[in-house]
Amino acid sequence: GQQVMQIPQYQHVQEGEDFTTYCNSSTTLSNIQWYKQRPGGHPVFLIQLVKSGEVKKQKRLTFQFGEAKKNSSLHITATQTTDVGTYFCAGPGSNYQLIWGAGTKLIIKP
Amino acid sequence: EAEVAQSPRYKITEKSQAVAFWCDPISGHATLYWYRQILGQGPELLVQFQDESVVDDSQLPKDRFSAERLKGVDSTLKIQPAELGDSAMYLCASSLATGVSSYNEQFFGPGTRLTVL
């Protein structure tokens, strides 16, 4: 079945370092959404990308959608403790429901 | 700020017992989703409603799971009988728009953590 692959599974960073997670699909996506789930919490919508090559920024977060619309990335500049959590990408499946990646867990080293 | 409500927040049950989860979406949201999330994984869609109609239940184990949204507002997800492998977080989400669901921002409730012993 259709899958959305997300890497890495975990990323340990020092506070102040950058963080990047990548999302890949075997098929072209019409759109992709990104969500954040804090520890013990529920997913919260961050952004949606629709256009080929689209780049959107939210403060320290930069989201990109690939030219072929098969991949996407989220980059966080100068991580803070408030960034801790798991970041998920989600793209449409065959029935237009969302297929979710496994998520990338951002861990701040003590 | 409007939120999706779910209850109970936690449920511990023994295998072969029946369990039920309740969800009240944000007022006015026509689309309601039930997801299952296993620890360390992304949410997996179980069932999607558009008003009171099921639009996708392809991943719902229908031999033991059932879901209803009788009046197109709140919804109940039932498992009977529960199995050990059903232990997971059950998340309810809702969205406002009635178009293609993959374009719709989804708002999640706090979830029900189910433990089957």
mmCIF file of all heavy atoms in Angstrom, chain B residues 53-72:
data_model
loop_
_atom_site.group_PDB
_atom_site.id
_atom_site.type_symbol
_atom_site.label_atom_id
_atom_site.label_comp_id
_atom_site.label_asym_id
_atom_site.label_seq_id
_atom_site.Cartn_x
_atom_site.Cartn_y
_atom_site.Cartn_z
ATOM 1 N N SER B 53 -22.469 9.826 7.736
ATOM 2 C CA SER B 53 -22.117 8.749 6.806
ATOM 3 C C SER B 53 -20.642 8.387 6.909
ATOM 4 O O SER B 53 -19.779 9.258 7.003
ATOM 5 C CB SER B 53 -22.427 9.180 5.367
ATOM 6 O OG SER B 53 -23.794 9.477 5.218
ATOM 7 N N VAL B 54 -20.389 7.082 6.822
ATOM 8 C CA VAL B 54 -19.016 6.590 6.771
ATOM 9 C C VAL B 54 -18.483 6.772 5.350
ATOM 10 O O VAL B 54 -19.105 6.313 4.392
ATOM 11 C CB VAL B 54 -18.955 5.101 7.157
ATOM 12 C CG1 VAL B 54 -17.545 4.556 6.933
ATOM 13 C CG2 VAL B 54 -19.379 4.903 8.597
ATOM 14 N N VAL B 55 -17.337 7.452 5.235
ATOM 15 C CA VAL B 55 -16.746 7.634 3.914
ATOM 16 C C VAL B 55 -15.509 6.774 3.717
ATOM 17 O O VAL B 55 -15.084 6.550 2.585
ATOM 18 C CB VAL B 55 -16.413 9.107 3.633
ATOM 19 C CG1 VAL B 55 -17.675 9.934 3.593
ATOM 20 C CG2 VAL B 55 -15.449 9.664 4.638
ATOM 21 N N ASP B 56 -14.931 6.289 4.810
ATOM 22 C CA ASP B 56 -13.777 5.399 4.718
ATOM 23 C C ASP B 56 -13.665 4.603 6.010
ATOM 24 O O ASP B 56 -13.512 5.192 7.075
ATOM 25 C CB ASP B 56 -12.494 6.202 4.479
ATOM 26 C CG ASP B 56 -11.291 5.306 4.188
ATOM 27 O OD1 ASP B 56 -11.343 4.100 4.486
ATOM 28 O OD2 ASP B 56 -10.286 5.814 3.647
ATOM 29 N N ASP B 57 -13.801 3.318 5.899
ATOM 30 C CA ASP B 57 -13.554 2.439 7.052
ATOM 31 C C ASP B 57 -12.736 1.240 6.614
ATOM 32 O O ASP B 57 -12.855 0.158 7.189
ATOM 33 C CB ASP B 57 -14.859 2.019 7.726
ATOM 34 C CG ASP B 57 -15.756 1.194 6.816
ATOM 35 O OD1 ASP B 57 -15.415 1.004 5.632
ATOM 36 O OD2 ASP B 57 -16.820 0.754 7.293
ATOM 37 N N SER B 58 -11.911 1.442 5.611
ATOM 38 C CA SER B 58 -11.156 0.336 5.024
ATOM 39 C C SER B 58 -10.151 -0.278 5.995
ATOM 40 O O SER B 58 -9.778 -1.434 5.831
ATOM 41 C CB SER B 58 -10.437 0.803 3.754
ATOM 42 O OG SER B 58 -9.607 1.915 4.029
ATOM 43 N N GLN B 59 -9.695 0.471 6.979
ATOM 44 C CA GLN B 59 -8.717 -0.041 7.946
ATOM 45 C C GLN B 59 -9.357 -0.412 9.281
ATOM 46 O O GLN B 59 -8.642 -0.731 10.231
ATOM 47 C CB GLN B 59 -7.607 0.989 8.158
ATOM 48 C CG GLN B 59 -6.844 1.343 6.895
ATOM 49 C CD GLN B 59 -6.216 0.129 6.240
ATOM 50 O OE1 GLN B 59 -5.547 -0.662 6.902
ATOM 51 N NE2 GLN B 59 -6.437 -0.024 4.941
ATOM 52 N N LEU B 60 -10.652 -0.383 9.347
ATOM 53 C CA LEU B 60 -11.352 -0.722 10.596
ATOM 54 C C LEU B 60 -11.554 -2.240 10.677
ATOM 55 O O LEU B 60 -12.170 -2.822 9.784
ATOM 56 C CB LEU B 60 -12.710 -0.020 10.640
ATOM 57 C CG LEU B 60 -13.493 -0.122 11.944
ATOM 58 C CD1 LEU B 60 -12.822 0.717 13.028
ATOM 59 C CD2 LEU B 60 -14.938 0.323 11.728
ATOM 60 N N PRO B 61 -11.034 -2.894 11.723
ATOM 61 C CA PRO B 61 -11.241 -4.346 11.877
ATOM 62 C C PRO B 61 -12.701 -4.623 12.221
ATOM 63 O O PRO B 61 -13.085 -4.655 13.391
ATOM 64 C CB PRO B 61 -10.283 -4.727 13.013
ATOM 65 C CG PRO B 61 -9.367 -3.553 13.178
ATOM 66 C CD PRO B 61 -10.151 -2.348 12.768
ATOM 67 N N LYS B 62 -13.493 -4.835 11.239
ATOM 68 C CA LYS B 62 -14.947 -4.823 11.427
ATOM 69 C C LYS B 62 -15.471 -6.030 12.204
ATOM 70 O O LYS B 62 -16.638 -6.019 12.634
ATOM 71 C CB LYS B 62 -15.634 -4.715 10.076
ATOM 72 C CG LYS B 62 -15.298 -3.430 9.316
ATOM 73 C CD LYS B 62 -16.027 -3.377 7.990
ATOM 74 C CE LYS B 62 -15.550 -2.181 7.184
ATOM 75 N NZ LYS B 62 -14.114 -2.264 6.820
ATOM 76 N N ASP B 63 -14.628 -7.038 12.387
ATOM 77 C CA ASP B 63 -15.101 -8.179 13.180
ATOM 78 C C ASP B 63 -15.217 -7.820 14.656
ATOM 79 O O ASP B 63 -15.997 -8.440 15.388
ATOM 80 C CB ASP B 63 -14.166 -9.371 12.993
ATOM 81 C CG ASP B 63 -12.721 -9.047 13.356
ATOM 82 O OD1 ASP B 63 -12.343 -7.851 13.289
ATOM 83 O OD2 ASP B 63 -11.971 -9.977 13.702
ATOM 84 N N ARG B 64 -14.487 -6.782 15.080
ATOM 85 C CA ARG B 64 -14.526 -6.427 16.493
ATOM 86 C C ARG B 64 -14.738 -4.936 16.744
ATOM 87 O O ARG B 64 -15.087 -4.548 17.857
ATOM 88 C CB ARG B 64 -13.223 -6.857 17.166
ATOM 89 C CG ARG B 64 -12.982 -8.351 17.153
ATOM 90 C CD ARG B 64 -11.731 -8.730 17.939
ATOM 91 N NE ARG B 64 -10.529 -8.088 17.400
ATOM 92 C CZ ARG B 64 -9.900 -7.083 17.990
ATOM 93 N NH1 ARG B 64 -10.325 -6.606 19.158
ATOM 94 N NH2 ARG B 64 -8.813 -6.559 17.429
ATOM 95 N N PHE B 65 -14.504 -4.112 15.763
ATOM 96 C CA PHE B 65 -14.641 -2.672 15.920
ATOM 97 C C PHE B 65 -15.914 -2.188 15.227
ATOM 98 O O PHE B 65 -16.261 -2.664 14.144
ATOM 99 C CB PHE B 65 -13.442 -1.938 15.303
ATOM 100 C CG PHE B 65 -12.157 -2.027 16.074
ATOM 101 C CD1 PHE B 65 -11.518 -3.241 16.265
ATOM 102 C CD2 PHE B 65 -11.574 -0.888 16.591
ATOM 103 C CE1 PHE B 65 -10.319 -3.323 16.969
ATOM 104 C CE2 PHE B 65 -10.371 -0.948 17.281
ATOM 105 C CZ PHE B 65 -9.749 -2.164 17.461
ATOM 106 N N SER B 66 -16.566 -1.215 15.860
ATOM 107 C CA SER B 66 -17.682 -0.547 15.212
ATOM 108 C C SER B 66 -17.657 0.927 15.581
ATOM 109 O O SER B 66 -17.141 1.296 16.643
ATOM 110 C CB SER B 66 -19.013 -1.176 15.627
ATOM 111 O OG SER B 66 -19.230 -0.999 17.012
ATOM 112 N N ALA B 67 -18.188 1.739 14.696
ATOM 113 C CA ALA B 67 -18.228 3.181 14.953
ATOM 114 C C ALA B 67 -19.531 3.728 14.434
ATOM 115 O O ALA B 67 -20.059 3.254 13.423
ATOM 116 C CB ALA B 67 -17.058 3.883 14.282
ATOM 117 N N GLU B 68 -20.046 4.719 15.151
ATOM 118 C CA GLU B 68 -21.270 5.343 14.693
ATOM 119 C C GLU B 68 -21.253 6.833 15.001
ATOM 120 O O GLU B 68 -20.587 7.291 15.942
ATOM 121 C CB GLU B 68 -22.489 4.687 15.326
ATOM 122 C CG GLU B 68 -22.546 4.739 16.828
ATOM 123 C CD GLU B 68 -23.767 4.004 17.379
ATOM 124 O OE1 GLU B 68 -24.392 3.226 16.628
ATOM 125 O OE2 GLU B 68 -24.089 4.216 18.551
ATOM 126 N N ARG B 69 -22.008 7.552 14.210
ATOM 127 C CA ARG B 69 -22.169 9.003 14.385
ATOM 128 C C ARG B 69 -23.604 9.304 13.967
ATOM 129 O O ARG B 69 -23.872 9.882 12.933
ATOM 130 C CB ARG B 69 -21.163 9.767 13.524
ATOM 131 C CG ARG B 69 -21.052 11.238 13.866
ATOM 132 C CD ARG B 69 -20.117 11.975 12.924
ATOM 133 N NE ARG B 69 -19.948 13.358 13.333
ATOM 134 C CZ ARG B 69 -19.495 14.319 12.533
ATOM 135 N NH1 ARG B 69 -19.148 14.043 11.279
ATOM 136 N NH2 ARG B 69 -19.380 15.558 12.980
ATOM 137 N N LEU B 70 -24.523 8.887 14.820
ATOM 138 C CA LEU B 70 -25.927 8.790 14.450
ATOM 139 C C LEU B 70 -26.537 10.115 14.016
ATOM 140 O O LEU B 70 -27.289 10.171 13.058
ATOM 141 C CB LEU B 70 -26.718 8.190 15.613
ATOM 142 C CG LEU B 70 -26.389 6.721 15.924
ATOM 143 C CD1 LEU B 70 -27.133 6.256 17.156
ATOM 144 C CD2 LEU B 70 -26.670 5.836 14.729
ATOM 145 N N LYS B 71 -26.247 11.191 14.703
ATOM 146 C CA LYS B 71 -26.867 12.470 14.374
ATOM 147 C C LYS B 71 -25.883 13.413 13.695
ATOM 148 O O LYS B 71 -26.158 14.611 13.574
ATOM 149 C CB LYS B 71 -27.439 13.109 15.634
ATOM 150 C CG LYS B 71 -28.571 12.292 16.250
ATOM 151 C CD LYS B 71 -29.158 12.985 17.475
ATOM 152 C CE LYS B 71 -30.304 12.167 18.059
ATOM 153 N NZ LYS B 71 -30.893 12.819 19.263
ATOM 154 N N GLY B 72 -24.759 12.863 13.303
ATOM 155 C CA GLY B 72 -23.783 13.683 12.600
ATOM 156 C C GLY B 72 -23.042 14.650 13.488
ATOM 157 O O GLY B 72 -22.411 15.593 12.983
#
